[in-house]
Amino acid sequence: MYASAAPIDGESEPVWAPFESRLAAAKIGMVTSAGLYLEGEQEVFDGERERREPTWGDPTHRVLPHHLGGRKIGMMHLHVNPADILDDHNVAMPTDVLDEFTASGVIGGTTGSHVSVMGYQASGLDVWRNETAPAIVSLFKDEGADGVVLAPV
Amino acid sequence: MPVLARHIEAAGIPTVVVTMMPETAQQLVAPRIVGVEFPFGHPFGMPHNRDLQRLVLGTALRLLAGATAPGTRVDIDVEWPQPRGEAYKAWQPSEPRPIVAMMLNR
């Protein structure tokens, strides 16, 4: 089921944005598909609907602050065991490693927020294309991201 | 995720995808790809293994900044420190994935 990945109509041509900053001066953002959210503050991704409609995946996103400030991360994902990510979120979204790299001068810094989605999207899903992706682009533009690391789980 | 990477890249922000399925990312024409041969759910490695997390993220950042052509892929040559069978069992969710349950019930 994971193997079918023919290029999507209209998306078979390469896209390319040259990296024009120095890495040591660059502001880096992250996207994870681990279905992470701030426990008690943000809505949990809709796993119940996926249980009822197995070909559907929640197309919404959550904006996570880079500095959690003691807030707890939750995870809703029905395709992987969440234990290791809940034990150490750096497995999916290595913000602590980004902080190390900032401190040692490898990168200039990070965006103030990162993004979590639930993954498992039918690529043609209208909400994903027309709302979620543009919102994420807008967030990173507003944050002045020089580059984004995306990591599906 | 490669689809989202393309959206972000098309808006002028360079991207790199770190993935357990680099061939799929290539088929979906992601601009820059780091392949890891890790169990699902572990793109940056094992919990609290900061050396491995540094290696993966550092490789991704160097590729982000240094790649000169679309489709550039770098694979991380690290073997998962757990027997394959154990690792396979460990990443499975506690309940069958809904899509798998649906297919099994057909």
Side-chain angles (χ1 to χ4, degrees):
Chain A
M1 91 183 140
Y2 291 114
S4 172
I8 297 155
D9 285 348
E11 296 193 12
S12 59
E13 293 300 314
V15 290
W16 187 251
F19 192 86
E20 291 178 332
S21 173
R22 286 173 52 245
L23 185 57
K27 193 188 275 193
I28 303 296
M30 287 211 66
V31 181
T32 175
S33 72
L36 304 183
Y37 58 92
L38 293 177
E39 209 164 76
E41 290 185 41
Q42 294 178 333
E43 194 176 348
V44 181
F45 286 91
D46 192 352
E48 287 308 314
R49 180 170 168 187
E50 187 184 334
R51 287 188 177 96
R52 295 193 306 273
E53 302 174 38
T55 59
W56 181 88
D58 189 334
T60 62
H61 71 290
R62 306 289 179 270
V63 177
L64 302 174
H66 177 78
H67 294 294
L68 290 171
R71 283 175 284 188
K72 194 172 174 199
I73 281 181
M75 175 169 171
M76 165 51 75
H77 204 294
L78 299 176
H79 294 239
V80 295
N81 181 346
D84 283 349
I85 294 173
L86 290 175
D87 181 30
D88 177 10
H89 68 268
N90 293 288
V91 168
M93 195 178 69
T95 52
D96 295 337
V97 188
L98 283 174
D99 282 343
E100 278 188 17
F101 285 166
T102 301
S104 60
V106 173
I107 60 173
T110 70
T111 51
S113 303
H114 305 290
V115 172
S116 172
V117 294
M118 208 176 76
Y120 188 59
Q121 300 298 318
S123 53
L125 205 61
D126 286 345
V127 175
W128 178 255
R129 281 179 179 285
N130 298 328
E131 296 178 26
T132 303
I136 292 170
V137 166
S138 180
L139 172 96
F140 283 126
K141 280 204 160 273
D142 290 348
E143 291 261 4
D146 296 301
V148 175
V149 180
L150 301 97
V153 298
Chain B
M1 207 61 116
V3 175
L4 180 56
R6 289 175 56 87
H7 274 267
I8 297 171
E9 190 97 14
I13 303 174
T15 63
V16 57
V17 176
V18 177
T19 176
M20 284 74 72
M21 297 194 299
E23 286 81 11
T24 301
Q26 283 183 304
Q27 288 162 350
L28 293 171
V29 205
R32 303 169 193 76
I33 300 160
V34 172
V36 288
E37 203 171 354
F38 297 163
F40 286 115
H42 300 77
F44 293 94
M46 303 190 90
H48 308 292
N49 185 336
R50 192 54 62 84
D51 287 342
L52 187 53
Q53 295 166 1
R54 272 189 215 107
L55 173 67
V56 178
L57 183 58
T59 301
L61 292 170
R62 282 194 296 279
L63 183 64
L64 180 69
T68 55
T72 306
R73 169 179 163 183
V74 172
D75 289 340
I76 296 209
D77 187 18
V78 171
E79 196 170 335
W80 192 251
Q82 191 178 20
R84 188 173 287 264
E86 274 179 39
Y88 181 80
K89 279 183 191 163
W91 74 258
Q92 299 296 325
S94 59
E95 60 183 286
R97 280 155 278 167
I99 188 73
V100 172
M102 185 181 82
M103 291 163 86
L104 289 174
N105 289 332
R106 274 183 180 167

